Amino acid sequence: LLTENRFDGMQIDVHEAVLGDGDTFVMIDPLPLNGGGSYPALVLEPAYDGETGVIPVYDRSRRKLEAVVKIWEEGDQEYRTNIYYPGHVEKYDDGMGLIERVPWMLQGEPVGVPFVHFRNRSRAARVLGKSEIANMIPAQDVLNRTFMSMTMTAELTAFRILVFIGLAAQQNMSPGVIIEVVEKSTDGITHPGIPNDRRVDVKEIPVGEIQPFVQQAQFAIDQIGAVTETPLAQNMGSDASSGEALKQREAGLLSKARKAQIKFGNAWEDVMRLAHRVQRAFGKVQPPEIARFNTVWQDMQVRNNAEVVDNAVKVREEIGQRKFLEIIAPVFGFATEDISKIIDVKALEDGARLARVLGGNLRPVT
């Protein structure tokens, strides 16, 4: 299921969508396989944005998903609407006329609404989630405007505004140009120079300094980091900082990530459970019986690899070889199958070594 849906990339899209919009949905849609039958396709569906998207319909407790309305654009300004209920799907045309009613049943029981709602920072009293970037948008607007002002200041520094006094403004100004000031008499003869009482002058309107804008931009960036609890690289300390020091600086971000893992993990478990029911209802090959699903996340914390290995070595005798390898596996990139292979090879080497010690009298037992 994960391979068919390219889950490694899909989960990134889902997480980015729910963090940015506050809500997103994963639809479980049975798609046909080349050899016959179908498999549960996991499809990212964005939340309703005022024109298209998914609208969830909950019961009064705001816990149970009663139905989902999906609106999308098909063709030139033609909108289609599907309403997904636990036991059937209703399809409507652009004029909201009912086109088709498709049953959605498994052994006489409703399969369930084929959508799972991913919500960021959801609360019991709220149906919809909250965008992770909503609070930082004002600071981002300030930063964008500061960049515009900084750019204009830089351009006015390169292309300065000049004021000509007693002289017609020069239209073809370019670097290195020489402006010659002459005076024509009434007889049409040109005389170089002009009298002192009719001196001309060219002045420059001073431009603003760029440095204050740089400082303002840095302040806005710092505020964005503070609001989003995202530690900035320049505030993380030197490369020599210990792993514990780095953990303290990113404590706020890790706290948010842990909460998201719990909420998103529960949603992914619902996705897999629903995909299992869809496969049982529409698949040619029945899936194995599964009691429950559990989402397992990789460790997100900054770790000191040397400390991890050193601490594992200290308790190696007490925890055994497999647990020791599981602890150091993230450091060396060991997968689960790699750990099993290492243990098997180690057992063969130990057996061969023992055979040599005993003079070759050991025989393998099958």
Side-chain angles (χ1 to χ4, degrees):
L1 177 64
L2 301 183
T3 301
E4 289 289 343
N5 286 281
R6 294 188 171 183
F7 186 76
D8 51 351
M10 184 207 172
Q11 65 171 332
I12 295 176
D13 295 337
V14 171
H15 295 162
E16 289 183 348
V18 67
L19 291 175
D21 298 335
D23 299 273
T24 198
F25 298 83
V26 172
M27 177 183 179
I28 295 85
D29 188 17
L31 292 185
L33 288 168
N34 292 332
S38 64
Y39 78 96
L42 309 182
V43 183
L44 170 63
E45 295 287 354
Y48 185 68
D49 61 4
E51 291 189 2
T52 60
V54 172
I55 304 172
V57 180
Y58 284 89
D59 63 0
R60 290 188 177 182
S61 68
R62 300 180 181 179
R63 293 173 179 247
K64 183 180 178 182
L65 193 61
E66 295 281 5
V68 157
V69 180
K70 177 185 173 184
I71 305 172
W72 74 99
E73 188 175 3
E74 190 173 275
D76 186 18
Q77 297 297 320
E78 181 180 350
Y79 291 90
R80 297 285 297 276
T81 303
N82 283 1
I83 303 179
Y84 298 85
Y85 295 96
H88 69 278
V89 180
E90 295 179 359
K91 301 182 179 182
Y92 295 87
D93 58 19
D94 193 24
M96 289 302 294
L98 181 62
I99 301 176
E100 186 180 11
R101 191 176 188 274
V102 181
W104 190 255
M105 306 292 287
L106 170 61
Q107 298 175 356
E109 295 292 332
V111 175
V113 179
F115 284 80
V116 174
H117 190 178
F118 283 75
R119 294 180 286 182
N120 185 54
R121 295 191 178 188
S122 60
R123 299 292 185 270
R126 289 172 53 92
V127 170
L128 300 179
K130 183 178 180 180
S131 170
E132 198 64 39
I133 65 174
N135 292 337
M136 56 82 60
I137 290 178
Q140 183 66 54
D141 290 339
V142 171
L143 180 61
N144 295 343
R145 186 64 183 88
T146 302
F147 283 156
M148 292 177 60
S149 299
M150 189 187 306
T151 302
M152 289 300 299
T153 301
E155 290 182 349
L156 291 175
T157 301
F159 303 96
R160 294 171 293 181
I161 300 177
L162 303 177
V163 178
F164 290 80
I165 301 175
L167 180 68
Q170 305 299 303
Q171 300 302 318
N172 299 316
M173 299 293 292
S174 61
V177 68
I178 298 176
I179 301 176
E180 182 182 5
V181 180
V182 297
E183 182 181 35
K184 289 185 178 181
S185 63
T186 56
D187 57 5
I189 301 175
T190 299
H191 304 279
I194 60 176
N196 290 334
D197 59 347
R198 293 201 301 274
R199 279 290 181 185
V200 298
D201 194 5
V202 177
K203 295 184 180 295
E204 172 187 332
I205 296 180
V207 297
E209 296 289 335
I210 292 182
Q211 189 59 35
F213 292 104
V214 175
Q215 295 173 351
Q216 181 175 327
Q218 186 58 56
F219 175 78
I221 292 172
D222 291 339
Q223 293 306 303
I224 291 174
V227 170
T228 61
E229 295 182 293
T230 305
L232 304 176
Q234 60 265 32
N235 298 332
M236 288 292 288
S238 65
D239 294 338
S241 299
S242 65
E244 190 62 32
L246 296 177
K247 289 179 183 178
Q248 293 301 320
R249 292 187 177 94
E250 62 180 9
L253 180 61
L254 289 177
S255 176
K256 290 202 308 180
R258 289 191 186 95
K259 293 178 182 178
Q261 283 184 342
I262 294 174
K263 295 287 187 177
F264 296 171
N266 291 341
W268 282 122
E269 292 164 9
D270 293 341
V271 168
M272 294 303 162
R273 183 163 50 248
L274 187 54
H276 186 267
R277 287 183 59 81
V278 170
Q279 178 67 11
R280 288 181 59 200
F282 303 101
K284 183 177 181 180
V285 177
Q286 289 297 300
E289 292 294 333
I290 298 177
R292 61 170 297 173
F293 292 92
N294 186 41
T295 305
V296 180
W297 296 92
Q298 291 182 344
D299 188 6
M300 74 186 79
Q301 288 187 331
V302 175
R303 63 174 185 268
N304 186 314
N305 291 339
E307 291 180 3
V308 172
V309 176
D310 183 59
N311 292 334
V313 170
K314 292 177 181 178
V315 296
R316 182 175 183 176
E317 297 299 327
E318 287 75 17
I319 63 177
Q321 185 180 18
R322 178 173 289 276
K323 190 62 179 178
F324 167 76
L325 291 174
E326 290 175 353
I327 294 175
I328 67 171
V331 177
F332 298 98
F334 295 156
T336 302
E337 54 270 23
D338 296 329
I339 294 175
S340 299
K341 290 179 182 178
I342 292 172
I343 293 175
D344 293 341
V345 171
K346 184 69 165 53
L348 291 174
E349 292 177 349
D350 291 344
R353 188 178 302 108
L354 182 59
R356 289 195 298 271
V357 172
L358 297 179
N361 295 323
L362 279 181
R363 295 290 183 270
V365 177
T366 61

